[in-house]
Amino acid sequence: MKKIIVILLLAVMTVPLFAGDTFDISLGFGHYTDFRKANTLSLCYGSTIGLTKRLELTVAGVSEVTPDPFSVNKLQIGMSFALMGERSTGSRVAGSSINTLVNAGVIVSSENGGFLPSGAFLTVTPVTIGTPIHGRRERAFEMGAAYNWYDNSFSFIFSFLKLDYYIRGSWHDYT
């Protein structure tokens, strides 16, 4: 299983070599709610890495903040696709400033007696405002579903707001 994941990640990471200069990197954080555990509040923090003009790799950590801080931690690895236009043009011209993202991936969790792959998720972010050229992006009202194959259960996930700050690929790199 580990070999397959490593080969898949290496294959995905070679995509930017053929896509021009769309290799932007952002650091972000925001709100995260898993409705299977209605009495908790979680923090999402991580990074997005631009692979092509419409595709990006998302690596995010999710940690419970209430009632017991950092007692349950998850790692989400996914691919996001921009539906309404190019998120980046690979030049100093900005892509679509208002966009919609579809994100799918795998969840690695500490809930099942070790930090192991435990499920998959599919989310839609209907409103994103900003691009890598602007240096920041707001992702609002992300909603979706997650499947936990250990429990054989589905849960609905929601994020009110996530903020991304680009450390590579913003207007600073083109001046």
Side-chain angles (χ1 to χ4, degrees):
M1 181 72 173
K2 290 180 185 179
K3 290 180 185 179
I4 293 171
I5 292 173
V6 169
I7 290 170
L8 183 63
L9 284 176
L10 288 175
V12 167
M13 295 303 283
T14 60
V15 172
L17 297 174
F18 308 106
D21 190 22
T22 57
F23 192 71
D24 48 71
I25 300 172
S26 76
L27 299 176
F29 66 95
H31 166 263
Y32 183 90
T33 300
D34 184 349
F35 285 107
R36 188 175 53 150
K37 299 179 178 182
N39 62 345
T40 64
L41 177 66
S42 298
L43 173 68
C44 182
Y45 48 91
S47 178
T48 61
I49 301 167
L51 300 176
T52 66
K53 293 180 178 185
R54 287 186 175 226
L55 193 65
E56 64 187 15
L57 175 70
T58 304
V59 178
V62 176
S63 297
E64 284 188 7
V65 179
T66 61
D68 190 16
F70 299 99
S71 62
V72 176
N73 298 298
K74 299 178 185 177
L75 177 68
Q76 295 181 338
I77 303 169
M79 300 292 281
S80 294
F81 182 77
L83 292 178
M84 296 175 63
E86 298 176 342
R87 50 167 215 87
S88 173
T89 62
S91 66
R92 62 172 43 186
V93 178
S96 179
S97 294
I98 299 175
N99 218 328
T100 298
L101 296 175
V102 175
N103 190 11
V106 175
I107 298 172
V108 180
S109 177
S110 65
E111 292 176 302
N112 301 308
F115 209 65
L116 301 169
S118 62
F121 68 93
L122 177 67
T123 62
V124 174
T125 307
V127 179
T128 64
I129 299 173
T131 64
I133 288 296
H134 295 128
R136 63 181 182 268
R137 175 177 69 180
E138 294 86 19
R139 296 181 280 164
F141 309 117
E142 180 179 23
M143 62 191 104
Y147 175 70
N148 186 331
W149 53 64
Y150 284 107
D151 298 342
N152 195 23
S153 64
F154 281 95
S155 63
F156 293 102
I157 51 179
F158 178 75
S159 175
F160 181 69
L161 183 66
K162 291 181 182 173
L163 303 172
D164 294 324
Y165 296 97
Y166 286 88
I167 58 174
R168 188 195 184 287
S170 70
W171 62 273
H172 296 286
D173 296 332
Y174 293 103
T175 56

